[in-house]
Amino acid sequence: MQYKNILVTGGAGFIGSNFIRFMLGKYSEIKIVNLDALTYAGNLENLKDLEENVNYKFVHGDICDEKLVNETIRNNPIDLIVNFAAESHVDRSVIDSSSFIQTNVVGIRVLLDAALENGKIRFHHISTDEVFGHLKADEQPFDELTPYNPRSPYSASKAASDHLARAYFYTHKLPITISNCSNNYGPYQFPEKLIPLVTTNLAENKKVPIYGTGENIRDWIHVDDHNRGVEMIIEKGIIGETYCLGGDTEKTNLEIIEKILEIMGKKKDQIEYIEDRKGHDLRYAIDFSKAKSELGWEPQIAFEKGLKETIEWYKNNPDWWQKIKSGEYQEYYKKQYGE
Ligand SMILES: NC(=O)c1ccc[n+]([C@@H]2O[C@H](COP(=O)([O-])OP(=O)(O)OC[C@H]3O[C@@H](n4cnc5c(N)ncnc54)[C@H](O)[C@@H]3O)[C@@H](O)[C@H]2O)c1
C-alpha cells in the first residue's frame, strides 16, 4: 500500500468498520485513524477486536469540526483520507433532512478544504448509486456517464458531496477519486436496513415489514467486495475519476425477504405489508465494466453464499444487535472512554 497514515471518517459505521478491519488485516505497515461522531449509527463495538491494535486509533469527533479535522490530519500525519462518514438512511432523510445536509454536504467541504490545506492529501469519497435516480425495469444499468438525478434528500445530499469532491479536483487539482456503489450487506450493518432488520426480527420471531408490494429492485453487493474495490481504486484508480461498483445481483425486496425466510426456515405469514415509502425508487442497477477493465475488479462473493454467511453472523452475534435494538450500545463509548 503506497499510503501509510490513513484517516477513515465514519469508521464506526457498517462499511467503514469492515474497511478498517480489512485494511489492517491485509497491511501490517499502515496506521489508521478513525474519526467518527458516534451518531446513532456509529458503534465502537464494531471495532472491539481492534482496540489493542497499535496501528489503530479512534478519535471521537465530527467531520464538520474544522479545527479537530485539521489537528487530526497534522498530528498523525495523514497521507490518505477515505470518507465514509454520512447520514445514510433514506427513511430518516424523508422525516428530517437537516443532519444529511450538515454531514453529507458541509462535512465533506470541511474535509476537502483540510485535505487541500495540508498538502493536497489524496482523498477517496464513498458514494452511492442512488445519486443517479432510479431505473425502469427495462432501462440500462447506471454507469459513470449516467446523469445525476437524485430523488430523496439522502441521495441529493450524496450527489452534492460528489459534485464538491469533483469540483475540488477541477478547481484545485486535489487528488480525489469517487466510488458509487450499490446496496451493501454483511456483518455489523445497523438493523434498520433491510437484510439485518429482517434477519434479526425473524430471530426474535417478530413480523418483517415490507414496503408496498415489495417490487422495488436493488443490486446487492457484499461489503467485503465493496471494500476490495475501494482498496483497488486507492491503489490503481485514475485521479479525478469515478468508479461504479456493483454486485451483479438485482433482486426485488420481496425476493430478498423470501430468501431469508427460506434460509431461516420461517413461513411467509411473517411478512407484514406496510404503506410504501414516499417517492420510493423503483430500481437500481450498476454496470461496473469500467472498474473491471481499468482495475481488474469484480465482485467475488456469490450472493447466496454471502447471504447465508451474513445470516449466520447475525444468528451467532445476538449480543451485538440486541444491544442496538435496546439502545444499550450507546453506553459502550462512555464505559470505554469515561465520557
Ligand atoms: N450501506 C449501503 O448499502 C451503502 C451503499 C452505497 C454507499 N454507501 C455509503 O457508504 C458510506 C457508509 O455507509 P454505512 O452504511 O456504513 O453508514 P452507517 O450509517 O452505518 O455509518 C455512518 C458512520 O458515519 C458516522 N458519522 C455520521 N455523521 C458524522 C459526522 N458528522 N462526523 C463524523 N462521523 C459521522 C456515524 O457515526 C457512523 O459511524 C456512506 O457514505 C453511504 O452513503 C452505503
Side-chain angles (χ1 to χ4, degrees), residues 182-198:
S182 56
N183 276 40
N184 284 223
Y185 69 95
Y188 300 104
Q189 187 166 27
F190 200 83
E192 65 184 353
K193 304 279 168 73
L194 184 65
I195 289 177
L197 176 72
V198 172

Side-chain angles (χ1 to χ4, degrees), residues 9-16 35-43 61-64 83-88 103 126-129 154 158 181-184 189-190 193 226:
T9 65
F14 163 47
I15 306 176
L35 174 65
D36 197 296
L38 298 182
T39 67
Y40 81 94
N43 183 359
D62 193 323
I63 59 166
C64 301
N83 180 32
F84 291 90
E87 286 296 333
S88 69
T103 290
I126 307 292
S127 193
T128 164
D129 59 356
Y154 163 65
K158 292 297 290 185
C181 189
S182 56
N183 276 40
N184 284 223
Q189 187 166 27
F190 200 83
K193 304 279 168 73
H226 179 185

